[in-house]
Amino acid sequence: MTFAVKDLGRSPGSMRTLEEQVAAPAELGVALIGVQEGSPVDLDLRLEAVHEGILVSGTAYVHIEGECGRCLDPIAYDLEADIQELFYFEDRELFEDDEENDQYRVEDDLIDLEPVLRDAVVTALPFQPVCREDCAGLCPECGARLEGDPDHHHGVLDPRWAALSGLADTAADDVAQRTESVEREES
């Protein structure tokens, strides 16, 4: 996603628009959700020469696909990601407090929009995608869908109390036997 900016020169105030459709790069997303590689990305950008470099601002429109983090159902929607980034001219002096990694450069009168697009899209994605805010998800014990059975549960006994569960059964059997023997004696 490299674009030529030679026509803008170094005269602040010169500007042009860029309306183009490009293919999405690989790994444009996170673990559960993102843009499929090769799918269309519509760019609607404004490239403007400023004193320090080229200011790129506008919007990227992408189609997001993935799965719900609770129930694993498919999710798909369109996303509008805002872009605003300054590409510094190559000969600009860096100050000691500038971090080279956080700056984009105009190199050989070209700018590479892929890292800017990646930053804009990935930061706009949900950390934990869900199909609906009230999605009940799956049972952690058996994987049953909780949407259709909200009363679904398992009788999970805390292992620390497991030894006592046998005592409760024994006590119930003792009470039943005593009740039977009292009834026999009374009859």
Side-chain angles (χ1 to χ4, degrees):
M1 271 193 264
T2 306
F3 296 94
V5 292
K6 185 173 187 160
D7 60 323
L8 294 174
R10 291 189 176 229
S11 53
S14 59
M15 191 256 319
R16 75 173 158 103
T17 59
L18 174 69
E19 293 179 9
E20 194 160 327
Q21 188 176 73
V22 295
E27 300 176 13
L28 186 57
V30 292
L32 292 177
I33 196 163
V35 179
Q36 297 296 315
E37 182 178 0
S39 67
V41 176
D42 293 319
L43 299 174
D44 185 9
L45 303 173
R46 186 172 97 179
L47 309 175
E48 183 177 356
V50 294
H51 181 68
E52 297 88 9
I54 305 295
L55 177 64
V56 178
S57 57
T59 309
Y61 302 93
V62 294
H63 183 71
I64 303 295
E65 294 180 4
E67 58 187 25
C68 177
R70 294 181 190 162
C71 69
L72 304 180
D73 279 352
I75 298 173
Y77 62 92
D78 293 326
L79 175 71
E80 183 178 313
D82 292 327
I83 294 174
Q84 184 164 7
E85 194 64 53
L86 179 60
F87 286 79
Y88 292 96
F89 290 126
E90 289 178 284
D91 58 355
R92 180 183 171 265
E93 286 185 36
L94 295 177
F95 297 104
E96 287 187 30
D97 60 340
D98 286 345
E99 290 188 26
E100 182 87 30
N101 297 338
D102 291 344
Q103 295 183 358
Y104 299 105
R105 296 265 199 206
V106 177
E107 296 179 6
D108 299 323
D109 292 322
L110 298 171
I111 59 172
D112 183 10
L113 291 178
E114 184 176 332
V116 174
L117 176 67
R118 188 174 309 283
D119 289 347
V121 170
V122 172
T123 57
L125 293 174
F127 179 71
Q128 183 71 15
V130 291
C131 57
R132 293 181 334 274
E133 287 300 317
D134 63 341
C135 178
L138 303 174
C139 173
E141 296 293 318
C142 65
R145 191 172 293 286
L146 297 176
E147 175 91 16
D149 187 10
D151 296 328
H152 177 85
H153 70 282
H154 296 273
V156 178
L157 185 61
D158 187 332
R160 297 171 290 184
W161 294 98
L164 295 177
S165 70
L167 292 175
D169 293 339
T170 305
D173 290 342
D174 288 347
V175 169
Q177 287 175 358
R178 287 186 193 145
T179 305
E180 285 178 19
S181 54
V182 169
E183 288 176 358
R184 272 190 251 143
E185 289 178 7
E186 290 178 356
S187 351

